[in-house]
Amino acid sequence: ALQNRSAYAMIFTMVCSYSQGQRRQQKMSIPRRISVSCPNCRKNFGTTIFESLNTDFAPDVIETVISGERFAGKCLNCGFEAHLEYDMLYHDMKHGAAIWVVHDNGPEYARKVAEVRETELLPYSMTRIVPNMDALREKAACLESGKDDRVVELCKVFLVSQTSQKMPDFEFRNAFYTYCNGKDIVFLYGAAGKEIAYQLSDRVYGAIAERFKQPLAQMVQTPYQMIDYDWAADFFEKLH
């Protein structure tokens, strides 16, 4: 599910700028070849990153975004695979969504978020800002599975609550959702490398969706919202 950080090195590449030129081009895939230093053997290798990635760029874009393969660079010298993190726009033309990856890795974060929200709003039902590639993978999975990402985040909170009651010694750290082979899976990660996987059933998803149907319908929809576990926990708390 999540990239194994002991087996993968996370490399932050150059951050793309949110210029007027890019705003005009955001409906196009914009790949860029760069050279990165292998954390294992220290040799440089070439890889491709994207300022903008559209789902029509290649037949396997959605699949490789969800799996994380799209953001891996392999060293040709030693075979080491590095997980690449960088700012980009993911444009899902199949499902009508635009998702910006904007990393909070410096004092320019607030400015970057503001500039994204000032860009021309595409006529889509879903626009989001996420902080990293794993969060983008989750949104892509929600789109492919036909799930409301807000309900999925609320389901995570529910599953964490249920797990805490049944396993009080489990020290929750993070949750991750994915969609694979027609199944919705939620991984809960705890301290000391503990991991629990739940298949998110239609029954549980439907119950959560129904429970929060009215307050979700009353939400004010703003461009490029940040919908994540913390948002869901706060949303859940306010209604209880």
Side-chain angles (χ1 to χ4, degrees), residues 160-178:
V160 169
S161 176
Q162 293 294 300
T163 301
S164 297
Q165 293 178 30
K166 296 177 182 178
M167 302 172 60
D169 293 336
F170 183 75
E171 299 179 37
F172 172 71
R173 293 289 184 269
N174 191 27
F176 181 80
Y177 164 81
T178 193

Side-chain angles (χ1 to χ4, degrees), residues 116-176:
V116 164
R117 287 175 172 163
E118 289 171 1
T119 60
E120 179 184 355
L121 187 62
L122 298 173
Y124 291 151
S125 58
M126 175 178 163
T127 60
R128 297 286 187 261
I129 291 178
V130 296
N132 53 51
M133 296 310 191
D134 281 336
L136 171 59
R137 293 169 59 197
E138 291 188 294
K139 299 305 181 189
C142 287
L143 290 165
E144 187 67 5
S145 67
K147 297 292 191 296
D148 185 327
D149 65 323
R150 302 171 302 172
V151 176
V152 167
E153 296 297 338
L154 290 166
C155 286
K156 289 182 188 178
V157 175
F158 171 76
L159 291 173
V160 169
S161 176
Q162 293 294 300
T163 301
S164 297
Q165 293 178 30
K166 296 177 182 178
M167 302 172 60
D169 293 336
F170 183 75
E171 299 179 37
F172 172 71
R173 293 289 184 269
N174 191 27
F176 181 80

Side-chain angles (χ1 to χ4, degrees), residues 11-19 22 30 32 34 36 49-52 84-89 100-113 115-116 130-131 133:
I11 298 177
F12 283 91
T13 69
M14 65 194 72
V15 176
C16 58
S17 62
Y18 311 108
S19 64
Q22 184 175 336
I30 308 175
R32 180 184 296 176
I34 64 168
V36 298
I49 65 170
F50 293 85
E51 292 186 9
S52 176
L84 305 175
E85 289 282 347
Y86 51 89
D87 292 2
M88 63 166 285
L89 168 65
W100 273 100
V101 181
V102 182
H103 291 82
D104 186 2
N105 56 355
E108 296 296 305
Y109 175 68
R111 179 187 62 79
K112 290 191 293 182
V113 169
E115 289 188 6
V116 164
V130 296
M133 296 310 191

Side-chain angles (χ1 to χ4, degrees), residues 24-227:
R24 289 193 297 268
Q25 299 180 76
Q26 63 181 353
K27 292 185 179 181
M28 299 168 50
S29 289
I30 308 175
R32 180 184 296 176
R33 290 293 292 178
I34 64 168
S35 178
V36 298
S37 177
C38 176
N40 186 53
C41 70
R42 306 302 176 186
K43 299 287 187 180
N44 288 342
F45 66 90
T47 191
T48 300
I49 65 170
F50 293 85
E51 292 186 9
S52 176
L53 175 61
N54 292 6
T55 50
D56 64 353
F57 178 75
D60 64 348
V61 165
I62 293 176
E63 176 186 346
T64 55
V65 167
I66 292 174
S67 70
E69 294 175 51
R70 182 63 59 177
F71 314 117
K74 187 173 183 178
C75 176
L76 298 180
N77 182 60
C78 69
F80 188 86
E81 288 192 348
H83 174 65
L84 305 175
E85 289 282 347
Y86 51 89
D87 292 2
M88 63 166 285
L89 168 65
Y90 178 66
H91 184 198
D92 190 329
M93 301 180 72
K94 176 181 177 181
H95 302 104
I99 304 168
W100 273 100
V101 181
V102 182
H103 291 82
D104 186 2
N105 56 355
E108 296 296 305
Y109 175 68
R111 179 187 62 79
K112 290 191 293 182
V113 169
E115 289 188 6
V116 164
R117 287 175 172 163
E118 289 171 1
T119 60
E120 179 184 355
L121 187 62
L122 298 173
Y124 291 151
S125 58
M126 175 178 163
T127 60
R128 297 286 187 261
I129 291 178
V130 296
N132 53 51
M133 296 310 191
D134 281 336
L136 171 59
R137 293 169 59 197
E138 291 188 294
K139 299 305 181 189
C142 287
L143 290 165
E144 187 67 5
S145 67
K147 297 292 191 296
D148 185 327
D149 65 323
R150 302 171 302 172
V151 176
V152 167
E153 296 297 338
L154 290 166
C155 286
K156 289 182 188 178
V157 175
F158 171 76
L159 291 173
V160 169
S161 176
Q162 293 294 300
T163 301
S164 297
Q165 293 178 30
K166 296 177 182 178
M167 302 172 60
D169 293 336
F170 183 75
E171 299 179 37
F172 172 71
R173 293 289 184 269
N174 191 27
F176 181 80
Y177 164 81
T178 193
Y179 180 68
C180 182
N181 297 324
K183 296 180 180 179
D184 300 277
I185 310 293
V186 174
F187 293 88
L188 302 186
Y189 297 94
K194 290 185 178 179
E195 176 184 317
I196 301 172
Y198 291 104
Q199 182 171 340
L200 181 58
S201 67
D202 290 340
R203 180 183 64 82
V204 170
Y205 177 87
I208 297 295
E210 183 62 30
R211 168 66 181 83
F212 293 98
K213 181 178 180 179
Q214 184 173 348
L216 287 175
Q218 294 172 344
M219 272 185 63
V220 176
Q221 299 295 321
T222 58
Y224 296 105
Q225 289 178 295
M226 298 180 187
I227 303 296

